[in-house]
Amino acid sequence: MSSSDTLTNATAVRGAKRLSLKQYFGYGSGDMANNMAFSLAITFLPLYYTDVGLISPGTVATIFLVMRFIDAFTDILVGSFVDRTNTRWGKFRPYILFGSVPLVLSVILAFSIPGSLHGTTGAVVWACVTYFLMGSIAYTAVNIPYGSLAAAMTDNSEERSKLAVFRTVGSALMQITTALAISPALQANRGNPEALQSSLTTTLVVLGIVAILLYLFLFVTARENVERRIPRVGLRDSLRTLGANRALQALALISVIYLAGVFSLSGMMAYYARDVLGDARYLAIFGPLLFGMILVFGWAIPSLARRIGKPRLFQLAALLGTVGGVMIWLVPGQSIVLVVIAFVLVGTSSGFVNTLMWNMEADAVEFGEWKTGFRSEGTTYAVFSFVRKMAQALGGSLGLWIIGWFGYQGSATMQSESALQGIKLSMGLLPAACFLVAAVLVQFYPLTDSRHKQILMDLRSRKETGILPQTPEATTD
């Protein structure tokens, strides 16, 4: 086989296709649907387990740590399956189409612990099994293909920035919707697990129907424009790509630290509103502020990223979040105006960083292809999803362990002063520390925007000339 033939079998057809507005909205609707499961799991499931299922915070923390650790490894497995998929509907869309209904049903099951099991070992078993079905199986089977789709829709960096913005906006809209829909029930049914369970079930059924319709819209509008010449990528080739992809490895480390802070904060938000501030309905304010600032500033991200570069913008946004986290930790609960300002800072930081992460992950696909000759969107995205799951596990578990150590009691109508301090620590100081460390580490990120442009030029040149990349061992960064 000639080197030209080998190249043909190893690389993707390049194309900087401009996407339509309908495709942007379709892609954004996919993450809006995803967050029917995701936002509920990170924001409301911890409180549901402790206050409805009557499972201790320490046990809930352990459940999340173990189950999300398992989730992370199933992501890699599913990513490998996706990379070897080839159908008339493409590589990614069939998973989204056929996985949407099982995902919605698994979410409803996770929030349906039978009353007879509350406070027993049976509640723990129910939580483990249903969380595994939701997170490790159903969510992974839909989310990995969805996230991989961006790198296949276009290889144009500006178009990817727009997709990332629409994705983050879609995510924010569902996160705001869940906060608005559920926070009144938390306040009205405090101390009444049965009434809260009934209200949650009704709400989840409605949200589930909306999510399925959004997935269908994504399926109809999305197209895979960066096509392969080879229908299958072997597991060995995928792993080779990952081992050589320093950009993905660096992004993974930075992201897991930053996101651990986000997930600690979001997992404690319901506790903070209800117990520290005294009214769960504050979630209807804090949810939009934490998740919705992307709606205010998202339009500016592509132009700012183009001017100062994605890594530097990431760094500045992380520092902004650090200030917000410190404020949440230090500001008294009665100073609502300052609390709101703190949430604006953290929400702006999170919106910018999450948008940039998805864009930088898609860029890392080309970095891996440039290093090895194999394009592995599914496995690359699976690694990034692995990182997010690990951040969920660490951030969510640390927050719950902290409030457990400080004396939180799920059956109590009023928490001790020690427990309130634990909630503020998990909400403010821990996230601030994570954001600060991530900001420092971005300084060492290897894939600048200018270098990514050069990599795209090299890939197109290889296609034209038939020159193969060097092996990872021989290629220097």
Side-chain angles (χ1 to χ4, degrees), residues 367-419:
F367 187 92
E369 182 183 5
W370 175 72
K371 291 280 286 185
T372 66
F374 294 97
R375 185 178 180 86
S376 303
E377 297 101 329
T379 306
T380 301
Y381 182 80
V383 168
F384 200 58
S385 182
F386 175 98
V387 165
R388 293 182 70 86
K389 294 287 181 65
M390 292 308 300
Q392 277 184 269
L394 293 172
S397 298
L398 281 174
L400 287 163
W401 274 322
I402 288 172
I403 67 171
W405 291 333
F406 278 75
Y408 180 87
Q409 297 292 328
S411 58
T413 55
M414 295 289 292
Q415 297 298 327
S416 67
E417 184 62 31
S418 175

Side-chain angles (χ1 to χ4, degrees), residues 193-214:
E194 292 78 13
L196 180 56
Q197 177 69 75
S198 176
S199 178
L200 283 174
T201 300
T202 301
T203 302
L204 293 179
V205 169
V206 174
L207 291 175
I209 293 171
V210 172
I212 291 171
L213 293 175
L214 291 170

Side-chain angles (χ1 to χ4, degrees), residues 41-65:
I42 64 172
T43 304
F44 296 105
L45 196 56
L47 189 140
Y48 175 78
Y49 283 161
T50 58
D51 288 37
V52 179
L54 300 181
I55 306 171
S56 71
T59 301
V60 174
T62 303
I63 291 171
F64 283 160
L65 184 66

Side-chain angles (χ1 to χ4, degrees), residues 130-143:
T130 56
Y131 192 91
F132 175 77
L133 292 175
M134 179 182 69
S136 300
I137 305 298
Y139 183 75
T140 297
V142 172
N143 185 54

Side-chain angles (χ1 to χ4, degrees), residues 39-49 111 175 178-183 186 200 266-267 269-271 283:
S39 64
L40 288 171
I42 64 172
T43 304
F44 296 105
L45 196 56
L47 189 140
Y48 175 78
Y49 283 161
F111 282 87
Q175 289 169 332
T178 56
L180 293 174
I182 294 177
S183 58
L186 293 180
L200 283 174
S266 58
M269 193 163 62
Y271 297 96
L283 270 175

Side-chain angles (χ1 to χ4, degrees), residues 9 81 83-86 91 228 230-234 237 374:
N9 287 336
F81 288 150
D83 276 332
R84 287 176 281 171
T85 298
N86 185 36
K91 291 168 60 65
R228 296 173 178 274
I230 179 170
R232 293 178 181 270
V233 174
D237 298 325
F374 294 97

Side-chain angles (χ1 to χ4, degrees), residues 135-220:
S136 300
I137 305 298
Y139 183 75
T140 297
V142 172
N143 185 54
I144 297 298
Y146 168 74
S148 305
L149 190 57
M153 290 178 71
T154 178
D155 66 0
N156 182 289
S157 183
E158 189 169 342
E159 293 297 293
R160 284 181 177 172
S161 292
K162 293 175 182 177
L163 283 177
V165 169
F166 274 82
R167 172 180 187 158
T168 310
V169 167
S171 169
L173 287 173
M174 182 58 82
Q175 289 169 332
I176 292 169
T177 299
T178 56
L180 293 174
I182 294 177
S183 58
L186 293 180
Q187 183 66 22
N189 299 303
R190 184 172 185 175
N192 189 344
E194 292 78 13
L196 180 56
Q197 177 69 75
S198 176
S199 178
L200 283 174
T201 300
T202 301
T203 302
L204 293 179
V205 169
V206 174
L207 291 175
I209 293 171
V210 172
I212 291 171
L213 293 175
L214 291 170
Y215 280 128
L216 288 175
F217 181 52
L218 168 65
F219 178 81
V220 170

